[in-house]
Amino acid sequence: MSACIRAGKRCKVILSQVTDVYRNLALENWILHNWNFAKFHCLLVYQNAPCVVIGRFQNTWKEVNVPLATQAGVLNNGYGLNVHHNKRHDLYIKDRKISGSASRLIRNGAFHHCTLLVNSDLTALRGLLKGDTSIETSATSSLPSPTTSLCEEQARNVTSNIET
């Protein structure tokens, strides 16, 4: 951990060394419920192996192509964020989303959670995030947006700048 000073409080930065989605989400949940937020801010940074994480108030079958996600072994249901979920704090490059976010509040703490598409298989992602939209539910629905990744945009910019 490293420390920084911000707004009179110390800030701890935790860099997870694992890419296991279950372990990273468990660490995030532990921090939310056990961290002394009155004394320290906390920034947790981690990278997951390919996965689809569904928010706790979302309907998995409506959000995700469950048979495809199960076959690919990338589905985690129960806690976290569907990478296509729009909470109005998203980041875009031109008209394409590269980051989504969500937040969670409890009595003694809160966190803001965001994703960043760096080098993602966007074709697979788009296929996985095609759930059964005919399902009627009171669950929170995602607001799908066109997506891109940082690597895809970098490649697009390099290609467009090559003179022939």
Side-chain angles (χ1 to χ4, degrees):
M1 283 193 247
S2 63
C4 61
I5 303 294
R6 180 170 168 94
K9 289 186 185 177
R10 294 186 71 195
C11 177
K12 299 285 185 174
V13 178
I14 302 170
L15 302 173
S16 173
Q17 301 297 308
V18 299
T19 59
D20 181 277
V21 63
Y22 298 102
R23 291 177 70 186
N24 284 326
L25 290 176
L27 176 59
E28 186 177 88
N29 192 54
W30 184 91
I31 290 169
L32 176 64
H33 291 283
N34 296 284
W35 195 261
N36 183 350
F37 291 104
K39 188 173 179 182
F40 295 102
H41 290 293
C42 178
L43 174 63
L44 170 62
V45 178
Y46 60 84
Q47 176 183 350
N48 287 328
C51 62
V52 175
V53 182
I54 304 303
R56 53 188 291 153
F57 298 112
Q58 293 181 297
N59 181 304
T60 302
W61 292 92
K62 186 170 183 174
E63 300 295 329
V64 176
N65 180 334
V66 173
L68 182 60
T70 302
Q71 179 183 7
V74 296
L75 184 61
N76 174 349
N77 188 11
Y79 181 78
L81 172 73
N82 172 337
V83 294
H84 219 67
H85 197 144
N86 190 339
K87 289 286 188 177
R88 295 195 181 116
H89 297 316
D90 303 330
L91 297 177
Y92 287 80
I93 294 179
K94 300 176 186 159
D95 62 342
R96 295 184 174 274
K97 187 160 103 174
I98 60 164
S99 175
S101 66
S103 58
R104 183 165 179 210
L105 302 172
I106 64 169
R107 185 172 20 179
N108 297 324
F111 77 80
H112 185 84
H113 176 129
C114 67
T115 62
L116 182 61
L117 297 173
V118 177
N119 189 16
S120 304
D121 182 343
L122 298 176
T123 302
L125 178 66
R126 291 177 189 122
L128 289 166
L129 297 180
K130 289 188 178 180
D132 184 349
T133 57
S134 69
I135 295 174
E136 292 189 29
T137 178
S138 60
T140 303
S141 293
S142 293
L143 301 173
S145 301
T147 55
T148 191
S149 70
L150 293 177
C151 288
E152 187 174 287
E153 286 303 309
Q154 181 182 18
R156 192 175 288 147
N157 288 337
V158 168
T159 302
S160 68
N161 290 330
I162 296 175
E163 295 182 22
T164 56

